[in-house]
Amino acid sequence: MPFMNITHLHLLMNHVPTVGTVIGVGLFLLALVRRNEHLKHASLEVFFLIALATLPVYLTGVAAQQALQGRPDVSAAAIAAHHDAALLAFILMMITGFVAWLALWQFRRHGRSAGWTTGAILLLAVLTLAVVAPAANIGGEIRHPEIKLDADAIAPAGVWISAAAVQDLVTTRPWVWPAAETLHFIGLSLLFGVLFAVNLRLLGGLRGVSFASLHRMLPWGMLGFGVNLITGMLFFIAAPEQYTNNAPFLWKIICLMVAGVDLLYLTVFDKIWALEPGDEAAMLDKAIAATAIVAWVGVIYWGRMLPFLGNAF
Amino acid sequence: MMDFLGWLEGTGFSIWVREAPTIWAFSTILTLHTFGMGVLVGASALLDLRLLGIGRTMPLGPLESLYRIMWAGFWLNLVTGTMLFAADATSRGTQWLFFVKLLFVGLGVATMILIRRQVYGAKTEPVAVNGATRGLAVASLGAWVAAIISGRLLAYVN
């Protein structure tokens, strides 16, 4: 027997983006004031991990919206307003996570990050905070009328983006879905090719190559991931009912979380960075690399099996 | 030709692939085909990018072992692709887009082999990258992208 449902998962996780961003911004500002590079590095890691964790928060939120559809005791308009605000917050959070990752990658390669990333992250993180906090607040009002200052008003999302507009974009133009599917497969190849090779190096393949020189290719894997995140979200927002009640999709996201943590490990860890041509990775690093490859294969497997094991398409 | 395609589609094996009420038939074969694509195109693209000047600190020599990965992906997809073709022989065999896909896969594999000859043909040290190799790398990336586009669109175009 399952001990909880997806909506419950949303309630468990939904404070992570807001609280996490507050902590991230706080650490980042403290690092700038104290001119402490270690602290800055740590705050970048926080931003990356919070962005990673925000993906299931958004996805489970849409699942909760699906589950609550048609219930007379819940305002659909309030949920829609929460969704729109959350969508913008999600997009900003993802961009912040990407830039934070890029800064971490530069840190590893050059011992410091490029100047522009500091400004960009500060701006993006503050913007994210400005959007995610109200989004969370509107979300709270759905089930907690006691926190509302005006009992009758439904808080407007106050953002220029809406899930309905994205849904409209994908569903009214018959070429968008196939085009996005095609890009999703191209992104898959690029992403898998790079991350398979880097993890394979730790397992003992491509041993004549230093880890540092393979590390150079990681942004290309991230490019593939970015393409797949965008196209994947188009599918999800356009037809959420195909995914929110679909066990393979849940497994796909779990595998993606594992692979995401591995990406951070590949990007920043000292011990593997030092592997010169011919060097063998330690047993623990091999185990992590093997887990990551299994996770990426899992992402492909559960993704491709969506229509067969679940109810997508 | 139609007779052959009809016969192929009607064999017990094709019917099993197409209709067996198990996840181990059509869906698993299709998933393996997707996985093989990621392996083949991913490894090939990694080498292409290196030849185009990205990650120059990677020595070319050890990267030759990427070919083992590429060929593993290729053979997996030849086998799974043949199985998928057999299951839908009359529709795939008469679909022009399917032959466009095969053409691009052929081009991709041809550039893959040519790159190996150019870069690793000398038996000793890998040859320095020249304009011709870079041209092949661009052709390789283009062929794989075109193969994925035409292959993926098979599901949407008649």
Side-chain angles (χ1 to χ4, degrees), chain A residues 246-257 295 298-299 301-303:
Chain A
N246 192 332
F249 188 67
L250 185 65
W251 283 111
K252 176 172 179 170
I253 300 306
I254 290 170
C255 288
L256 202 56
M257 292 298 109
V299 171
Y301 177 79
W302 295 114

Side-chain angles (χ1 to χ4, degrees), chain A residues 197-208 279-281 286 289, chain B residues 65:
Chain A
V198 178
N199 281 303
L200 193 66
R201 170 64 186 86
L202 297 180
L203 283 174
L206 299 171
R207 200 174 288 184
D279 286 355
E280 193 170 331
K286 283 186 181 173
Chain B
S65 54

Side-chain angles (χ1 to χ4, degrees), chain B residues 38-112:
Chain B
V39 170
L40 168 59
V41 177
S44 185
L46 195 68
L47 183 61
D48 293 336
L49 289 172
R50 167 63 185 84
L51 296 175
L52 290 172
I54 292 147
R56 266 180 233 264
T57 52
M58 269 193 289
L60 277 172
L63 290 187
E64 192 178 5
S65 54
L66 283 175
Y67 273 90
R68 266 186 291 178
I69 299 170
M70 290 180 217
W71 284 120
F74 172 81
W75 287 111
L76 176 63
N77 274 19
L78 187 68
V79 171
T80 52
T82 306
M83 291 160 96
L84 293 169
F85 178 84
D88 289 311
T90 55
S91 48
R92 290 287 176 261
T94 51
Q95 209 173 355
W96 62 270
L97 191 60
F98 177 72
F99 294 98
V100 171
K101 170 185 166 165
L102 285 192
L103 175 75
F104 282 119
V105 171
L107 275 175
V109 173
T111 50
M112 203 172 108

